[in-house]
Amino acid sequence: MSFPETRMRRLRRNKTMLRLVRETTLAVDDLVCPLFICPGRQIQKPVPSMTNCFYYSPDKAAQKAKQIAQLGIPAVLLFSQAREKDAAGSDAFAEDAPLQQAVREIKNNVGELLVATDLCLCAYTTTGHCGIVKDKKIDNDETCRALAKAALSHAKAGADIIAPSDMMDGRVAYIREALDENDFQDIAIMAYSAKYASCFYGPFRDVAGSAPTFGDRTTYQMDPPNADQALTEIQLDIEEGADIVMVKPALAYLDVISRARERFSCPIAAYNVSGEYMMLNLAAKQQVFDLDTAMMETLLSIKRAGANIIITYFAERAAQLLRGKS
Ligand code: PBG
């Protein structure tokens, strides 16, 4: 059947009809809110490169986490600055480092909120690379061993989900084994499986002070033209024990999210990264569009592509709107 029998506008006659036939809905349950941790006490200071984002010292992080939980957001994803950087990235696995402290504070005060921890060396190494550097090259297996050690320190602090973002080969297997050997078999792994070497991480690298001091990340992060390869990366991570897989960034890679959704049945997370966040903020500031409207349309596009978990700096604002508060 075709026009005039078929009229698509029948299903768009009014707002109630639109509600009835809506295929995708965004929910507060889909959101993960990133939190930036800094060393010190009683600190809450703005992140210069990112509108409405703040650093929190571990003690302050718990207060912030409580507000996030009250909005109904199920999880936070913690990032931290190092107290001091060195070649081995030691502060990544120190039990008293800010990230580990913040995990303890949050779990002690807001127990029901899931705490995921970003696991990487780039904020902790003097080179700013995600791995241990030997002769100007990233040593894959040595990095995996360091990551497994750091993952254990996160788990001991009480993390619910460990999220490796380094893109070393085999790291999920190393981390899973270390966790299981130490009785942390219930701690989940959310792997940054298809993480692209993207310019959209720019504002974030200022936050973590994690820009590489030489070269770039193209020997470990994925090359933007590749999508079949992303599916291989995801499959390998699932085989190694990842519980949740991730595509990052989200917007320039919606096709990858959608193909991953068709192929795999595990939860798929998408990371709406710092550059994507600032794109909307700056455009709205220039009156290109209304920020809330652009934000909701963007988050919905990520959900529609097939992500069931959306990590976004918009999480709190989106949750407010979804709960009907202005
Ligand atoms: C660390 C890491 C990065 C991001 C998350 N974890 C930066 C990078 O890989 O350079 C980016 C987050 C964002 O841009 O919002 N490996």
Side-chain angles (χ1 to χ4, degrees), residues 19-283:
R19 273 172 50 209
L20 183 70
V21 301
R22 203 157 273 162
E23 297 171 29
T24 310
T25 42
L26 192 64
V28 178
D29 286 342
D30 304 330
L31 304 171
V32 175
C33 185
L35 263 192
F36 297 128
I37 308 300
C38 65
R41 276 187 56 76
Q42 290 295 308
I43 299 170
Q44 174 183 338
K45 58 179 186 205
V47 172
S49 57
M50 293 173 67
T51 310
N52 272 328
C53 288
F54 296 84
Y55 297 98
Y56 300 91
S57 54
D59 51 330
K60 284 274 186 183
Q63 281 173 29
K64 183 69 206 171
K66 192 165 270 172
Q67 291 170 11
I68 293 168
Q70 276 165 357
L71 283 167
I73 296 170
V76 287
L77 174 60
L78 301 195
F79 294 91
S80 180
Q81 291 180 315
R83 291 170 298 186
E84 259 180 77
K85 299 184 187 218
D86 59 24
S90 310
D91 228 22
F93 35 80
E95 310 255 328
D96 60 346
L99 179 104
Q100 286 77 350
Q101 279 187 44
V103 173
R104 280 192 291 269
E105 289 279 346
I106 296 173
K107 288 312 290 184
N108 284 339
N109 291 287
V110 205
E112 76 280 10
L113 184 70
L114 293 172
V115 175
T117 50
D118 181 82
L119 174 63
C120 197
L121 299 181
C122 62
Y124 305 95
T125 53
T126 29
T127 61
H129 273 292
C130 302
I132 309 243
V133 175
K134 278 195 180 155
D135 304 327
K136 299 248 166 190
K137 288 203 176 104
I138 318 294
D139 187 320
N140 189 88
D141 300 9
E142 180 144 352
T143 302
C144 288
R145 283 187 278 276
L147 288 168
K149 198 168 148 192
L152 261 189
S153 75
H154 295 190
K156 279 184 194 153
D160 301 287
I161 302 171
I162 310 279
S165 65
D166 53 285
M167 288 298 279
M168 295 301 124
D169 287 322
R171 89 273 209 218
V172 173
Y174 272 89
I175 295 164
R176 187 70 269 161
E177 189 181 320
L179 291 174
D180 289 357
E181 273 173 5
N182 289 275
D183 266 348
F184 291 116
Q185 52 272 66
D186 293 337
I187 305 304
I189 296 176
M190 174 167 72
Y192 288 67
S193 303
K195 178 174 179 183
Y196 287 87
S198 167
C199 75
F200 290 104
Y201 309 147
F204 175 94
R205 287 183 188 166
D206 293 340
V207 176
S210 62
T213 51
F214 68 90
D216 54 32
R217 303 210 202 284
T218 54
T219 70
Y220 42 102
Q221 296 182 347
M222 281 189 57
D223 200 18
N226 299 344
D228 292 341
Q229 197 180 74
L231 301 182
T232 307
E233 286 279 7
I234 291 171
Q235 183 165 351
L236 288 168
D237 281 357
I238 293 172
E239 284 165 9
E240 288 176 31
D243 303 282
I244 302 169
V245 294
M246 193 197 297
V247 175
K248 175 182 176 185
L251 295 183
Y253 301 89
L254 292 174
D255 59 319
V256 178
I257 297 173
S258 151
R259 288 181 62 185
R261 175 72 297 153
E262 277 171 26
R263 176 87 69 95
F264 304 105
S265 57
C266 68
I268 295 173
Y271 200 138
N272 179 216
V273 300
S274 57
E276 299 174 335
Y277 172 77
M278 286 311 292
M279 245 173 10
L280 294 200
N281 273 285
L282 295 173

